Amino acid sequence: MKERLQELETEALGKVEKSGTIDELKQVRVEYLGKKGPITEVLRGMGKLSKEERPVIGQLANDVREKISDAIDEKQTKLEDEALEEQLKEESIDVTLPGRPVQVGGPHLLTSIIEEIEDLFLGMGFEIKEGPEVETDYYNFEALNLPKGHPARDMQDTFYITEELLMRTHTSPVQARTMGQKNGTEPVKMICPGKVYRRDTDDATHSHQFTQIEGLLVDENVRMSDLKGVLQTFAQKMFGAEREIRLRPSFFPFTEPSVEMDISCKMCGGEGCSVCKGTGWIEILGAGMVHPNVLEMAGYDSEKYSGFAFGMGPERIAMLKHGIDDIRHFYTNDVRFLSQYHKA
């Protein structure tokens, strides 16, 4: 029996050495170490041995089994390593080849314009405030000197949700809300950028949804000359130091007096051309001194406090600054158009 175990060991180790695949190794394991293998048969015949021989043969059988198992494991590890190395060679990547370019996006032109305007006014000490796009009739109209039935409401066709809720038609409600939070006792110096909605027919210069930035300054002894200084700084920073401005009388229900601001045409330098329709000037925004009624409704004493407000459309600023002729380009998501301004 001892000689038989030694023969099985030699035979099994030889087959392990010759095995060239994992499957062949599995067959060797089953053949020699399985339940029906020769080593198991030897162990079953140990009952015929004397008490003295049993432990010797048992120990030998275990040693043979362990040697064969270790040899199979070692051979399997070797074959797996060789297979992995071969696979890596077949799947290797030539890092010397040029890489595939990845298209990198950039901020939307309107986002860039809004951020540029925000940075400019932050530099002048203004805060940035935001408010809800779904607004109440009170803050959108009544708090801005536009009571129900006021004829000036016809100027803004509105998306109503209920009789008292609507999609805001301007960002002015943020001004009214901010003044109300101050309880009429603190100065206000803010701008409020955001989306607004009007029932306009979409064309080259109109959209049912667009962006707006409005500004407000309320304090003691605020004058029209302060408004002009702020607007002139804005115009020259946005369109060039050589730009001139002019203020024309206008009407807005929430300001009195009210003005429209024009800038000198950068295409002709004020001489007159097709861009400015021969006038030498281009309308850019509306502004004025805050109406006393608006101040009083927000809790301010209009005899003590005064202020100015202004409003502009980032779309119009972008169109003038970059020579864009159709507002719809901003919203149709044509990457060919938008990618031109990633570094604007």
Side-chain angles (χ1 to χ4, degrees):
M1 193 171 286
K2 181 177 180 181
E3 289 77 8
R4 176 57 178 158
L5 286 172
Q6 291 173 342
E7 288 176 4
L8 290 174
E9 177 184 342
T10 303
E11 183 181 320
L13 294 179
K15 288 187 177 182
V16 168
E17 185 63 30
K18 293 178 181 179
S19 297
T21 65
I22 301 295
D23 288 338
E24 291 178 0
L25 276 178
K26 289 181 179 178
Q27 291 177 3
V28 173
R29 185 185 295 275
V30 171
E31 181 180 351
Y32 288 93
L33 303 180
K35 293 181 178 180
K36 297 181 180 180
I39 296 179
T40 303
E41 291 295 327
V42 170
L43 292 174
R44 287 175 180 169
M46 287 179 59
K48 301 176 182 179
L49 300 176
S50 63
K51 292 182 179 180
E52 292 78 13
E53 291 179 311
R54 287 177 189 172
V56 176
I57 298 301
Q59 181 63 47
L60 178 60
N62 288 332
D63 290 344
V64 170
R65 180 189 291 274
E66 186 174 345
K67 287 181 182 179
I68 296 173
S69 180
D70 290 345
I72 291 174
D73 291 341
E74 184 178 345
K75 183 69 173 184
Q76 182 171 337
T77 300
K78 180 181 178 182
L79 291 175
E80 288 174 348
D81 290 343
E82 290 175 352
L84 177 60
E85 186 176 350
E86 187 65 28
Q87 183 181 0
L88 291 175
K89 287 180 180 179
E90 293 176 357
E91 298 177 359
S92 63
I93 299 173
D94 186 352
V95 295
T96 64
L97 290 173
R100 296 181 179 88
V102 177
Q103 186 173 1
V104 179
H108 193 284
L109 177 57
L110 288 181
T111 301
S112 298
I113 290 291
I114 290 171
E115 289 178 349
E116 185 177 356
I117 295 172
E118 288 177 342
D119 288 344
L120 196 161
F121 281 100
L122 284 172
M124 290 192 279
F126 285 75
E127 293 182 287
I128 298 175
K129 297 287 187 179
E130 295 181 345
E133 294 179 17
V134 177
E135 190 54 272
T136 64
D137 183 90
Y138 175 79
Y139 281 113
N140 197 79
F141 291 122
E142 294 184 43
L144 300 171
N145 202 33
L146 284 159
K148 293 184 185 300
H150 194 289
R153 287 199 182 196
D154 294 337
M155 296 167 58
Q156 303 174 90
D157 288 338
T158 307
F159 290 108
Y160 275 93
I161 299 171
T162 69
E163 289 187 4
E164 297 299 325
L165 284 179
L166 50 87
M167 303 300 293
R168 67 181 180 187
T169 58
H170 45 192
T171 55
S172 300
V174 183
Q175 300 175 350
R177 287 177 177 274
T178 302
M179 285 192 292
Q181 293 167 1
K182 302 293 185 180
N183 298 316
T185 60
E186 300 177 40
V188 177
K189 194 175 184 182
M190 56 162 283
I191 63 169
C192 41
K195 295 177 184 176
V196 299
Y197 306 85
R198 297 183 189 178
R199 293 176 59 187
D200 279 330
T201 300
D202 291 3
D203 57 28
T205 56
H206 298 85
S207 174
H208 65 282
Q209 172 192 301
F210 54 98
T211 57
Q212 195 175 69
I213 297 179
E214 298 198 22
L216 173 70
L217 190 152
V218 175
D219 205 343
E220 297 181 30
N221 302 316
V222 178
R223 299 165 296 181
M224 178 69 81
S225 58
D226 299 319
L227 170 62
K228 183 179 180 180
V230 168
L231 295 182
Q232 184 163 351
T233 299
F234 161 75
Q236 292 178 343
K237 290 288 187 181
M238 284 297 294
F239 297 100
E242 69 281 5
R243 296 278 73 75
E244 297 179 9
I245 70 168
R246 73 174 184 183
L247 303 179
R248 294 181 289 104
S250 186
F251 169 76
F252 301 108
F254 28 81
T255 54
E256 179 63 37
S258 303
V259 296
E260 298 275 2
M261 187 186 92
D262 303 330
I263 60 170
S264 57
C265 179
K266 69 175 183 178
M267 301 301 294
C268 63
E271 297 296 323
C273 65
S274 60
V275 174
C276 60
K277 298 179 181 178
T279 65
W281 298 92
I282 297 176
E283 180 185 329
I284 195 72
L285 57 82
M289 302 302 292
V290 180
H291 198 291
N293 289 350
V294 175
L295 291 172
E296 294 288 346
M297 282 187 285
Y300 286 88
D301 182 354
S302 60
E303 297 294 327
K304 179 180 179 182
Y305 287 92
S306 57
F308 63 73
F310 55 86
M312 67 188 76
E315 286 90 345
R316 180 158 180 77
I317 304 292
M319 292 171 77
L320 292 173
K321 192 169 183 179
H322 297 285
I324 298 168
D325 60 1
D326 195 322
I327 193 174
R328 290 170 293 192
H329 289 319
F330 296 121
Y331 303 113
T332 51
N333 296 325
D334 189 335
V335 177
R336 295 170 301 176
F337 168 80
L338 297 176
S339 61
Q340 299 177 65
Y341 303 100
H342 284 171
K343 296 182 181 180

